[in-house]
Amino acid sequence: PSAFATVGWVVGGVFLGMTAAFSAFSLYLLILCSQYIGRGANFHRLSQLTYPRLTLLFDIAIAVKCFGVALSYLIVIGDMVPSILLGLG
């Protein structure tokens, strides 16, 4: 909402559409890679096949990303729960 308030509905919508397209394309590439690897495909195995020396770096990047997403969920929940509880009485 802050981004839309800052740049407007049109530019915000364009950026939202672009990020949705990039996300869909990355999921498509992930599906292709998992079809190549076969059952039990994951990011660690994929990085071992493509860049064996950088496997640890990829694992660290994924861990940082997951931590950031979990932290943002906790922030959103922490901001919303008090008002929800007040609304429930």
Side-chain angles (χ1 to χ4, degrees), residues 11-72:
V11 177
V14 168
F15 283 143
L16 186 64
M18 284 175 34
T19 56
F22 291 147
S23 178
F25 182 66
S26 66
L27 288 175
Y28 172 72
L29 291 176
L30 186 61
I31 289 171
L32 289 179
C33 292
S34 68
Q35 288 174 347
Y36 174 77
I37 292 175
R39 192 167 177 90
N42 56 32
F43 287 113
H44 179 76
R45 189 165 172 208
L46 182 61
S47 65
Q48 281 182 332
L49 291 173
T50 54
Y51 296 103
R53 290 186 291 162
L54 298 177
T55 300
L56 181 63
L57 181 66
F58 287 137
D59 289 342
I60 290 171
I62 291 170
V64 168
K65 178 220 167 257
C66 291
F67 179 75
V69 169
L71 188 63
S72 67

Side-chain angles (χ1 to χ4, degrees), residues 3 73 83:
Y73 279 132
S83 60

